[in-house]
Amino acid sequence: MPKTSAREAVRDLLVTHGRTYADQAHVHLRNTPQPLYQLLVLSVLLSARIRSDTAVATCRALADAGLRDARRMADATWQERVDALGEGGYRRYDERTATQLGAGAELLLDEYHGDLRRLRARADGDMAVLRSLLREVPGLGPVGVDIFLREVQGIWPEVAPYLDKKALQGARERGLPDDPRALARLAGDTDPALFAAAMVRAALDKSGTRKERKS
């Protein structure tokens, strides 16, 4: 595809699909403990084989129940977590996920005082270490790690450009290059998280499913 046409295709994708999961879940992402934790929870919810709209609604329900940070999640009873998950429609996995969210909150409090910026600091810019540390969070599988890193790259610049297999699939299906650096050049000054989200939503729209799965 000629460069001009590729840039137009990118602009069209951003207009049509340019919305992050965090924005959809009403998580105002900043490099502070609470929104980072909410993004982590959202990524755990999206890790299951469940519709993304359900995971997003459940993230909002957990926030409405006051479970916005690791301390509050850990202090909540298992039943309170189950009830909040059910309120969001996350019923198929509610009991297991309630346990995972409690264990994950305890892990973050013990290892990082509930602050994911400390996890970032421990990785010290090494993406392999960062992925490994995130995988220690109960319920956060490879898909969830990809989601977290895609969405956080706008505020953790060492992560960018983060375009995983699902994002590159979306690029290929729209006739765009599937090389992350080439795509980043086409994106220009666009928020890398927004750009990655557009590619992923394009892939999901093409496949007819709203569930993220391994490619």
Side-chain angles (χ1 to χ4, degrees):
M1 181 183 292
K3 194 170 183 178
T4 301
S5 298
R7 290 189 185 279
E8 290 174 354
V10 167
R11 284 196 294 269
D12 290 344
L13 278 172
L14 288 168
V15 170
T16 306
H17 296 293
R19 190 183 190 190
T20 64
Y21 286 130
D23 178 63
Q24 188 181 352
H26 303 165
V27 176
H28 304 294
L29 198 55
R30 302 182 305 279
N31 192 34
T32 54
Q34 185 170 295
L36 287 171
Y37 178 71
Q38 288 181 280
L39 175 61
L40 185 73
V41 168
L42 177 59
S43 301
V44 169
L45 297 173
L46 286 163
S47 291
R49 290 180 175 270
I50 198 164
R51 287 176 61 87
S52 60
D53 288 349
T54 300
V56 165
T58 302
C59 183
R60 292 198 297 260
L62 287 164
D64 290 343
L67 308 181
R68 297 185 182 90
D69 57 52
R71 172 50 62 196
R72 291 174 183 174
M73 185 69 77
D75 287 347
T77 66
W78 179 81
Q79 189 61 53
E80 286 171 337
R81 292 193 292 269
V82 168
D83 291 345
L85 289 162
E87 186 67 25
Y90 207 87
R91 295 183 178 87
R92 183 178 174 187
Y93 302 99
D94 55 353
E95 295 187 355
R96 183 182 71 183
T97 304
T99 300
Q100 290 172 335
L101 290 176
E106 294 287 357
L107 171 71
L108 291 179
L109 290 168
D110 291 343
E111 293 290 329
Y112 309 108
H113 302 285
D115 188 348
L116 282 162
R117 294 175 301 181
R118 292 173 179 260
L119 182 148
R120 177 193 184 190
R122 185 175 295 183
D124 195 25
D126 187 319
M127 284 297 296
V129 174
L130 182 57
R131 288 185 62 87
S132 178
L133 292 174
L134 287 169
R135 283 297 306 274
E136 292 176 1
V137 177
L140 195 67
V143 170
V145 169
D146 282 338
I147 292 168
F148 181 87
L149 293 174
R150 281 199 320 252
E151 301 252 330
V152 84
Q153 64 183 312
I155 56 174
W156 288 4
E158 72 275 15
V159 175
Y162 194 87
L163 295 164
D164 61 353
K165 290 181 180 179
K166 184 62 70 175
L168 295 178
Q169 176 190 336
R172 284 193 303 273
E173 289 172 352
R174 299 307 172 103
L176 295 168
D178 59 1
D179 175 71
R181 297 289 173 181
L183 284 169
R185 287 193 293 271
L186 288 174
D189 295 332
T190 303
D191 179 344
L194 198 64
F195 179 65
M199 299 296 108
V200 169
R201 288 183 186 273
L204 296 177
D205 182 60
K206 184 77 172 180
S207 67
T209 179
R210 295 187 180 182
K211 300 175 185 177
E212 289 217 34
R213 298 177 182 177
K214 294 181 184 178
S215 301

